[in-house]
């Protein structure tokens, strides 16, 4: 059987306020073409199908078109819910969808009930969909189990999966949405709800005993073991993901023996670039022309924050989506108090104002034009006080 492992579609997510639905639709259409060209039997989607528990009608339309395209390309689908999904909404009419070859598993109680599918070789494979298991929401289902963390929940679920797989004797694939420890899994800024203190970290050993574990939740590809992998998201959803490839794992599951796995690249609609420097440099550096059509995150190193910087940057980089001021030079005289900075009460007002500007501008005082304006305003104020 040939399986394409994908996850974290996040249908409906925005990128720094910009819609991603058209770009995602194009990537998922490319995924369907890979399904057809590579004669994929099953597409496994390991959670976070939607970005929100209340997806828009437009998001449903993109999902519907993607599922239809994959089915028309010849593959069935097994889909599980992630922490961003509403199990009830994603799983609505899942019983009827299964008749059309789209098997959606969102109920925690169904994690050990396999979806048994056959590939072109006719060999049956059991797919076990484990939805995102939030301990607080599932304890009432198994009150005798100590489900204090997600690791506890996954241990419990995988114990049941292994028992079911042993009774079946078919080859087994599990889909799970979690943060597993081991290998080279690395969270980006786009993954939310990762708990601190290790409570939601699932040990890699939990996934022993199955032929392949298709994981979701981490947005970059990772191989924790030969049979345990993250596919990552099909789009870049954070600048921390810049440079990471987008795609899916193609898993060849034979009648016996280990799975053979290879990476399948998917198109990147718009590359991400992080550029650093003073504003004037970023606006004139010819080497940066290569990023004109990229999503751009600009880190400005000017000593003071330039005025109207985003508008100026977008005149050269139309898709500049993020701006951060990170001065290269920071006033090191931070130990002095503010009173000491600006001087005593007998210090002339223009000097006090100049010292204040230097205090808030990392040591850079007023420009000549600002100094002239300050002197004019101080003189006007002094004249007004004398005539009062």
């Amino acid at each position: 059987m040939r399986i394409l492992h994908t996850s974290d579609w996040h249908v409906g997510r925005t990128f720094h306020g910009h819609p991603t639905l058209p770009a995602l639709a194009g990537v998922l259409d490319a995924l369907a073409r890979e399904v057809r060209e590579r004669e994929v039997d099953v597409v496994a989607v390991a959670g976070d199908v939607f970005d929100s528990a209340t997806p828009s009608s437009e998001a449903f339309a993109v999902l519907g078109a993607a599922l239809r395209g994959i089915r028309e390309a010849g593959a069935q689908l097994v889909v599980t819910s992630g922490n961003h999904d509403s199990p009830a909404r994603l799983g609505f009419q899942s019983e009827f969808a299964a008749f059309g070859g789209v098997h959606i598993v969102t109920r925690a109680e169904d994690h050990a009930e396999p979806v048994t599918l056959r590939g072109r070789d006719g060999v049956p494979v059991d797919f076990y969909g484990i939805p995102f298991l939030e301990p607080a929401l599932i304890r009432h289902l198994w009150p005798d189990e100590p489900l204090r963390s997600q690791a506890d929940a996954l241990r419990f679920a995988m114990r049941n999966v292994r028992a079911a797989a042993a009774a079946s004797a078919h080859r087994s694939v599990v889909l799970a949405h979690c943060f597993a420890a081991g290998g080279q899994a690395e969270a980006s800024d786009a993954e939310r709800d990762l708990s601190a203190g290790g409570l939601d970290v699932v040990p890699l050993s939990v996934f022993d005993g199955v032929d392949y574990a298709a994981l979701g939740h981490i947005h970059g590809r990772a191989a924790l073991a030969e049979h345990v992998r993250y596919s990552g998201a099909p789009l870049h959803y954070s600048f921390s993901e810049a440079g990471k490839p987008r795609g899916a794992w193609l898993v060849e599951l034979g009648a016996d023996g280990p799975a053979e796995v290879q990476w399948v690249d998917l198109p990147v609609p718009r590359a991400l670039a992080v550029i650093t420097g003073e504003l004037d440099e970023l606006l004139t550096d010819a080497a940066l022309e290569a990023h004109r059509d990229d999503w751009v995150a600009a880190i400005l190193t000017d000593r003071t924050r330039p005025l109207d910087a985003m508008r100026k940057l977008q005149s050269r980089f139309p898709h500049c989506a993020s701006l951060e001021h990170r001065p290269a030079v920071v006033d090191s005289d931070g130990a002095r108090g503010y009173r000491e900075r600006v001087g005593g009460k007998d210090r002339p007002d223009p000097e006090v104002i100049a010292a204040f500007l230097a205090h808030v501008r990392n040591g850079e005082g007023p420009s000549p034009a600002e100094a002239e304006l300050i002197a004019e305003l101080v003189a006007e104020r002094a004249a007004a006080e004398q005539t009062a």
Side-chain angles (χ1 to χ4, degrees):
M1 176 181 285
R2 194 166 290 172
I3 303 162
L4 195 65
H5 164 202
T6 178
S7 72
D8 294 274
W9 290 1
H10 287 282
V11 182
R13 172 168 283 197
T14 60
F15 182 79
H16 291 270
H18 300 272
T20 63
L21 281 176
L24 180 60
V27 173
L28 294 179
D29 187 57
L31 186 144
R33 290 196 297 273
E34 294 288 349
V35 167
R36 185 183 302 278
E37 292 172 7
R38 297 176 184 272
E39 298 183 330
V40 171
D41 298 301
V42 178
V43 173
V45 187
D48 278 357
V49 178
F50 289 117
D51 188 59
S52 167
T54 56
S56 66
S57 59
E58 293 82 5
F60 270 106
V62 168
L63 177 62
L67 298 179
R68 183 171 61 253
I70 291 170
R71 284 295 292 126
E72 291 174 350
Q76 297 194 68
L77 294 102
V78 180
V79 182
T80 57
S81 53
N83 55 302
H84 282 253
D85 296 306
S86 163
R89 285 186 172 86
L90 181 61
F92 178 63
Q93 292 191 339
S94 58
E95 182 178 354
F96 299 99
F99 288 111
V102 180
H103 306 273
I104 304 174
V105 184
T106 63
R107 285 165 34 92
E109 305 96 307
D110 296 337
H111 65 268
E113 297 182 12
V115 176
T116 303
L117 303 175
R118 295 177 184 269
R120 290 172 173 81
D121 57 7
V123 177
V125 176
D126 289 340
F127 289 81
Y128 296 90
I130 303 178
F132 181 77
L133 299 178
E134 176 58 52
L137 300 179
I138 64 171
R139 290 189 192 115
H140 69 283
L141 298 173
W142 299 283
D144 296 331
E145 291 292 330
L147 304 178
R148 294 179 295 270
S149 67
Q150 200 177 22
D152 292 337
L154 264 295
R155 286 192 188 95
F156 167 70
M158 282 301 301
R159 188 168 69 243
N160 295 336
V161 166
R162 280 189 289 270
S168 168
H170 295 159
R171 303 214 69 180
S172 56
V173 174
V174 66
L175 289 73
H177 196 84
C178 64
F179 184 39
Q184 299 176 350
E186 180 182 349
S188 75
D189 293 342
E191 287 101 47
R192 301 196 287 267
D193 302 323
L194 295 180
S195 297
L199 291 179
D200 279 346
V201 177
V202 177
L204 179 59
S205 60
V206 165
F207 297 103
D208 290 346
V210 294
D211 292 294
Y212 186 78
L215 303 186
H217 196 34
I218 301 301
H219 286 191
R221 72 175 181 185
L224 307 189
E226 278 301 309
H227 74 295
V228 183
R229 296 172 185 257
Y230 284 102
S231 67
L235 277 186
H236 291 112
Y237 288 116
S238 165
F239 279 105
S240 63
E241 299 170 11
K244 294 182 179 179
R246 302 289 89 171
W249 292 112
L250 184 65
V251 183
E252 191 80 39
L253 204 60
D256 50 36
E260 296 181 9
V261 186
Q262 70 179 84
W263 180 252
V264 175
D265 283 308
L266 290 174
V268 176
R270 192 180 302 283
L272 276 64
V274 179
I275 59 176
T276 303
E278 294 189 356
L279 179 60
D280 288 345
E281 175 189 350
L282 300 185
L283 294 176
T284 57
D285 187 351
L288 297 179
E289 188 63 21
H291 300 304
R292 174 175 289 275
D293 294 324
D294 295 347
W295 287 118
V296 168
I299 299 173
L300 299 183
T301 60
D302 301 73
R303 192 159 188 167
T304 60
R305 182 184 294 273
L307 295 176
D308 208 13
M310 179 60 90
R311 184 189 63 78
K312 293 175 182 177
L313 284 165
Q314 288 178 339
S315 69
R316 184 180 188 190
F317 308 103
H319 305 286
C320 183
S322 174
L323 177 62
E324 179 184 352
H325 182 221
R326 195 185 298 171
V329 178
V330 179
D331 186 6
S332 62
D333 197 16
R336 294 197 302 160
Y338 179 69
R339 181 185 297 274
E340 186 179 352
R341 285 175 178 273
V342 301
K345 63 180 181 180
D346 295 330
R347 193 174 187 182
D349 287 346
E351 292 185 14
V352 173
I353 296 172
F356 170 77
L357 290 175
H359 171 59
V360 299
R361 290 176 168 180
N362 292 315
E364 185 172 311
S367 66
E370 289 172 334
E372 183 178 344
L373 178 61
I374 290 168
E376 180 181 339
L377 292 174
V378 169
E380 290 180 2
R381 177 61 183 268
E385 289 177 348
Q386 290 175 0
T387 59

